Amino acid sequence: MLRLSANPSPLSPSASLVRPRRLLRLRALAAAASASAPASPSARSLRLLEWGKVCRAVASFAGTAHGREATEKQLWGVEDVSYERSRVLLRETEAAVRLLGSSGGSLDFSGLDTVAVESAINRVSGGSVIKGHEAMAVVSLMLLVESLQGTIKAAMKQGEDSRDLLMPLTETILDAVVSKSLVKSIQDIIDDDGSVKDTASPELRRYRDQVQVLESRLCQLMDKLIRNADNEASLSEVSSVNGRCCIKMTGNKSSNFDGLLLSSGSDAGSMIEPIVAIPLNDELQGARALVARAELDALSKLTDKILLELDNIQILMQETITLDKVTARAKYSIAYDGTLPDLYLPNFEHGTIDTAKDGPVSTTSSAQLPKRSWKLFIPNAYHPLLLQQHQENLRRTKKDVASATSEIRRRRIYGQDIAEEDQLAADLDFMKIRVSELERNHPIPVDFMIAEETTVLVITGPNTGGKTISLKTVGLASLMAKIGLYILASEPVKIPWFDAIYADIGDEQSLTQSLSTFSGHLKQIGAIRAQSTSQSLVLLDEVGAGTNPLEGAALGMSLLESFAEAGSFLTLATTHHGELKTLKYSNDSFENACVEFDEENLKPTFRILWGIPGRSNAINIAERLGLSLDIVESSRRLLGTAGAEINALIMDMEKFKQDYHEQLQQAQHYLMQSKELHNNLEVAQKNIVDHTTAQRKRKSRVVSEYAVMARSIIHKKFQLFRESAIAQRVIEEEKAAEKAKLERVKGPEPSSTSSLKKMQITNSSMATKASDNIIDEDGGIPEVGDLVYVPKLKNQATVVKVDPSKNEVQVQAGMMKLKLKLKDVKIQKQRTAR
């Protein structure tokens, strides 16, 4: 295949130098045009909310250059995101959070050079030869995808819900095929540093060996020439000019060898190529050209192989960037302890607000919303930029403390500069105090709990009390939920999807358009009122400020009533005009809130009190600051009793609200304790039941075991008793026989002589009859079923079991079974009848 190696390609060095300059000029022209042209209200609102800083913060969590660029571009497109797309983005972020949790945070894309991969794709598709480092970037891409596939499959095995959550995000990567043969081919040819290996081809190895030999010969020749030089006034060293080995001469005197002058200068010296080195230099240049040609041939063959997999590589590249982009959102959400919001779409068909038909994005949150219907519920919400700044300052200060500690330890080990060590110790103490202050002065979160029936929220309070930060926090939280980011708040979070977020915050004075601060605000508010819809969020800071207080209050009241009727879904406004507080009592769509002020310490607490209008603290603050009592009392008389009564009423309401919150927190604490005790009791009851059941089973098992043992003992005792009874009966019969024998010796009585003779005749006849049928066989071993005679029983028995090893036999005589020795029985067999 023909490769374009001589002519510059679209991605050649010359072209790559031109394109960035052209892009910079185009961006500068676009910035100038955008600066001159008036921005839309929504675009201006994004600038006022500092959305660009949030975009850059989220994009910094991406691991690749293309991932950071894609993340920031996606976040800036928040205005064009639909509700369905927002839910998809949130589900993607939730899946990435689950994936990061299952992989232990090992989802890292920072090792992938996407710029080199893109250059390789463009170079191969354009017919040029790929470079070594670009080929290794392709290998890194394929190995990363293979690793991602293993991580995703392991995460899916954790449960069916994990599989359902991860599949839409990772299906394409799981289906991708990584060409292991291509990876092996590249690794066989290209080294880790991007150079071509010696083993790429036999020719390349031979040419490189030739180059090494020639370079060695040239070095030896140059060293010899320098050593033979006897010109002490000049200095010489071996150098190289355009790849040709030469000698650099410094000094006024000429060299003592013939050569070609390649370059000369008063400061740099003269570059001389010795005549004797010219053939070797020419041969070296030829060998290097052969090496370059062999490397180009190896890269050309590798390019052909990559071209066959180019479509697959492009797919892997795109999917990897997409996953890096989603992972950046997830890492940002995890880093700042965000919460997955319940994003809902307002439904105005029947004058109610319903969540989406397919339910919330996730049901994994253990927290539950209070029973009251909320339009917006964000507890403990943080401003993302304030939280980011605090964490960065804390991280930086801790790093400085660690560095200073290491430096002091190093100086003590080597005994260096004790005085400077004391200064370092003082600086270390100061930095530790700074760390303690940062840990103690954590940003204060704000609670936002706006009821469903509220359309306009009026926030009042002193300057630097946190009103503007509160507006920005709500605006940024709405943008973050819409673009698929977690909200930096506690669980649970319920927030509506807004088609646009409009803000009028800060000083809108414009000298170029001859607009004052008041005029700039009015122009911005007018544009917002014209473009806002029933699904928009409007944030107005200091409504009616910058003009006559009475006219400003009247204008502010009219503007807020206009937004309440049909101007937006939700409007949040801050003001110092007391008249705007009264709108709540004439219109149910309004609600009051104020930022709390600590009169003891004369500073705001940055907390919002809901349902309470703010009161004026100027006279009380002046009194506490030591202003003359005459002036204070005069100002109170001028304010009038009505204003004093209103302030007193507001004070009572604030005190009641604070008492209510304290008692509510105490009740919640007791409720948590009771729940914990209830759970402990349930656990204890379960443990008691389990212990009782286990004891019952153990006792039953023990009783069964003892019953078996008792039956065995009783059986053995009964057998012993039966054997002893039989033995006793035998003894008694023997005694009776002895007694009868003694009586016969003494002589029978005359009356019994005839009866005795009759008995003897009967016994002899029976013995004679038995002897006719039975034959005695002494000395043999009986078999099962044989009849044996037991002398001790004086009776016959049947053999049941024979154990020759123990010389025992088991016999049955009637209902009794006995174990006897073989010597205690006599074998008897019946004669066959003739």
Side-chain angles (χ1 to χ4, degrees), residues 181-202:
S181 60
L182 178 60
V183 172
K184 186 177 183 305
S185 298
I186 297 175
Q187 290 177 338
D188 289 342
I189 295 176
I190 307 300
D191 211 340
D192 293 337
D193 59 355
S195 61
V196 181
K197 293 183 177 180
D198 293 341
T199 57
S201 67

Side-chain angles (χ1 to χ4, degrees), residues 66-219:
H66 284 73
R68 288 186 288 272
E69 182 180 352
T71 301
E72 192 166 355
K73 180 179 178 182
Q74 183 187 55
L75 295 178
W76 270 112
V78 64
E79 296 177 273
D80 302 325
V81 176
S82 64
Y83 171 70
E84 290 75 14
R85 180 59 182 163
S86 295
R87 289 179 59 82
V88 170
L89 292 173
L90 280 173
R91 191 165 182 83
E92 287 178 352
T93 306
E94 183 186 9
V97 169
R98 181 80 60 89
L99 190 60
L100 286 168
S102 62
S103 64
S106 61
L107 215 61
D108 187 13
F109 298 85
S110 59
L112 179 62
D113 188 357
T114 53
V115 176
V117 175
E118 184 184 37
S119 177
I121 293 173
N122 294 335
R123 196 179 296 275
V124 173
S125 61
S128 300
V129 178
I130 195 171
K131 293 184 178 180
H133 73 279
E134 296 172 349
M136 290 307 298
V138 173
V139 170
S140 299
L141 172 64
M142 291 187 169
L143 294 179
L144 176 62
V145 170
E146 189 175 16
S147 175
L148 289 175
Q149 289 176 343
T151 302
I152 294 168
K153 290 177 181 177
M156 286 184 173
K157 292 180 181 178
Q158 296 184 358
E160 192 66 27
D161 57 337
S162 297
R163 180 179 181 84
D164 295 339
L165 184 63
L166 295 174
M167 183 55 71
L169 176 62
T170 60
E171 185 175 6
T172 306
I173 284 187
L174 289 177
D175 294 339
V177 178
V178 177
S179 178
K180 295 183 179 180
S181 60
L182 178 60
V183 172
K184 186 177 183 305
S185 298
I186 297 175
Q187 290 177 338
D188 289 342
I189 295 176
I190 307 300
D191 211 340
D192 293 337
D193 59 355
S195 61
V196 181
K197 293 183 177 180
D198 293 341
T199 57
S201 67
E203 294 80 6
L204 180 60
R205 178 186 291 274
R206 185 170 64 252
Y207 295 150
R208 284 182 173 175
D209 291 342
Q210 185 177 353
V211 168
Q212 290 181 358
V213 171
L214 292 172
E215 287 177 347
S216 178
R217 290 174 59 187
L218 272 171
C219 287

Side-chain angles (χ1 to χ4, degrees), residues 205-338:
R205 178 186 291 274
R206 185 170 64 252
Y207 295 150
R208 284 182 173 175
D209 291 342
Q210 185 177 353
V211 168
Q212 290 181 358
V213 171
L214 292 172
E215 287 177 347
S216 178
R217 290 174 59 187
L218 272 171
C219 287
Q220 293 175 4
L221 177 61
M222 296 299 176
D223 290 340
K224 183 178 180 180
L225 291 174
I226 292 176
R227 285 196 302 270
N228 292 337
D230 54 356
N231 189 356
E232 298 180 356
S234 63
L235 299 175
S236 58
E237 60 180 5
V238 179
S239 185
S240 178
V241 177
N242 296 328
R244 302 184 69 86
C245 193
C246 59
I247 296 178
K248 180 180 180 181
M249 303 292 295
T250 57
N252 298 325
K253 294 185 179 182
S254 61
S255 62
N256 60 351
F257 55 83
D258 296 330
L260 299 177
L261 181 62
L262 301 180
S263 64
S264 63
S266 58
D267 296 331
S270 301
M271 295 292 185
I272 301 173
E273 181 180 4
I275 297 296
V276 295
I278 292 177
L280 285 177
N281 272 327
D282 292 341
E283 192 175 354
L284 179 60
Q285 292 293 86
R288 286 174 176 170
L290 292 175
V291 168
R293 183 178 301 173
E295 290 178 350
L296 185 63
D297 291 340
L299 291 174
S300 180
K301 293 177 182 179
L302 191 59
T303 303
D304 293 337
K305 295 181 180 180
I306 294 176
L307 182 60
L308 299 176
E309 296 287 338
L310 189 60
D311 293 339
N312 188 34
I313 294 173
Q314 289 177 331
I315 294 174
L316 295 180
M317 174 75 166
Q318 187 60 40
E319 291 302 320
T320 303
I321 293 173
T322 301
L323 190 57
D324 187 22
K325 179 174 58 178
V326 177
T327 305
R329 300 202 306 263
K331 288 181 178 179
Y332 175 85
S333 302
I334 294 173
Y336 294 102
D337 197 17

Side-chain angles (χ1 to χ4, degrees), residues 376 447-451 454-460 470-471 474 538 540 543 560 564 570-575 580 589-594 608-612:
L376 185 142
D447 295 326
F448 290 97
M449 297 169 287
I450 301 176
T454 301
T455 304
V456 178
L457 175 68
V458 179
I459 304 176
T460 54
S470 300
L471 292 184
V474 174
V538 177
L540 304 178
V543 178
L560 295 182
L570 180 62
T571 299
L572 275 65
T574 65
T575 184
L580 272 66
S589 299
F590 283 78
E591 180 58 85
N592 284 331
C594 67
I608 293 181
L609 301 178
W610 294 91
I612 299 176

Side-chain angles (χ1 to χ4, degrees), residues 748-760:
E749 294 181 0
S751 60
S752 62
T753 301
S754 59
S755 61
L756 182 59
K757 287 182 178 180
K758 291 180 181 179
M759 184 169 31
Q760 289 177 352

Side-chain angles (χ1 to χ4, degrees), residues 588-731:
D588 294 336
S589 299
F590 283 78
E591 180 58 85
N592 284 331
C594 67
V595 289
E596 189 180 28
F597 187 82
D598 186 0
E599 292 188 3
E600 295 294 332
N601 299 315
L602 298 179
K603 63 180 182 180
T605 62
F606 304 105
R607 284 191 288 266
I608 293 181
L609 301 178
W610 294 91
I612 299 176
R615 59 186 176 87
S616 175
N617 296 288
I619 298 178
N620 294 333
I621 292 173
E623 183 179 9
R624 289 184 180 275
L625 291 177
L627 195 64
S628 173
L629 290 178
D630 295 337
I631 299 175
V632 172
E633 292 300 329
S634 176
S635 62
R636 284 174 176 166
R637 285 193 300 271
L638 292 174
L639 179 63
T641 57
E645 291 176 356
I646 291 175
N647 282 335
L649 178 61
I650 294 175
M651 287 182 63
D652 293 339
M653 292 177 64
E654 289 181 358
K655 187 176 183 305
F656 173 77
K657 192 80 171 183
Q658 290 176 354
D659 294 340
Y660 166 75
H661 279 293
E662 290 177 358
Q663 294 177 2
L664 179 62
Q665 291 178 355
Q666 189 176 10
Q668 289 176 345
H669 175 68
Y670 289 148
L671 179 61
M672 290 178 62
Q673 284 187 336
S674 63
K675 286 182 178 179
E676 185 177 359
L677 291 174
H678 177 71
N679 293 334
N680 293 338
L681 287 174
E682 286 185 344
V683 172
Q685 184 179 7
K686 183 177 181 300
N687 291 337
I688 292 173
V689 171
D690 294 342
H691 180 72
T692 304
T693 304
Q695 289 292 329
R696 188 182 296 111
K697 290 181 179 179
R698 189 182 66 82
K699 289 181 179 179
S700 177
R701 185 174 62 256
V702 171
V703 169
S704 300
E705 292 176 354
Y706 280 115
V708 171
M709 294 175 59
R711 283 196 297 269
S712 177
I713 293 172
I714 291 172
H715 179 71
K716 290 181 179 179
K717 292 289 186 183
F718 178 73
Q719 187 174 0
L720 291 174
F721 176 76
R722 187 171 58 184
E723 292 178 355
S724 63
I726 293 172
Q728 184 67 30
R729 191 176 68 178
V730 171
I731 294 172

Side-chain angles (χ1 to χ4, degrees), residues 346-487:
N347 182 7
F348 292 91
E349 291 181 359
H350 303 288
T352 59
I353 302 172
D354 300 327
T355 57
K357 294 180 180 179
D358 53 348
V361 174
S362 174
T363 58
T364 58
S365 173
S366 59
Q368 298 293 330
L369 283 169
K371 293 182 179 180
R372 185 177 179 182
S373 297
W374 301 103
K375 177 176 286 189
L376 185 142
F377 189 89
I378 313 178
N380 296 323
Y382 287 97
H383 190 287
L385 298 180
L386 289 181
L387 189 61
Q388 175 188 350
Q389 182 182 8
H390 176 267
Q391 290 192 6
E392 289 177 352
N393 291 337
L394 183 60
R395 190 183 306 111
R396 190 183 306 111
T397 307
K398 287 184 176 180
K399 184 178 179 180
D400 293 339
V401 168
S403 300
T405 304
S406 301
E407 180 64 19
I408 292 175
R409 187 183 298 113
R410 188 186 66 81
R411 289 178 178 275
R412 287 176 179 175
I413 291 174
Y414 295 102
Q416 297 176 350
D417 214 346
I418 304 300
E420 190 172 348
E421 179 185 337
D422 295 338
Q423 181 62 36
L424 283 174
D427 295 340
L428 179 61
D429 293 337
F430 174 77
M431 286 185 286
K432 288 181 178 179
I433 295 174
R434 176 63 176 162
V435 170
S436 301
E437 290 178 352
L438 287 173
E439 291 177 344
R440 186 170 56 254
N441 298 327
H442 194 273
I444 299 174
V446 182
D447 295 326
F448 290 97
M449 297 169 287
I450 301 176
E452 184 176 322
E453 62 273 8
T454 301
T455 304
V456 178
L457 175 68
V458 179
I459 304 176
T460 54
N463 291 327
T464 68
K467 300 190 301 297
T468 304
I469 291 295
S470 300
L471 292 184
K472 290 185 175 182
T473 301
V474 174
L476 290 175
S478 303
L479 290 170
M480 292 169 68
K482 185 177 181 181
I483 202 61
L485 289 167
Y486 281 20
I487 292 179

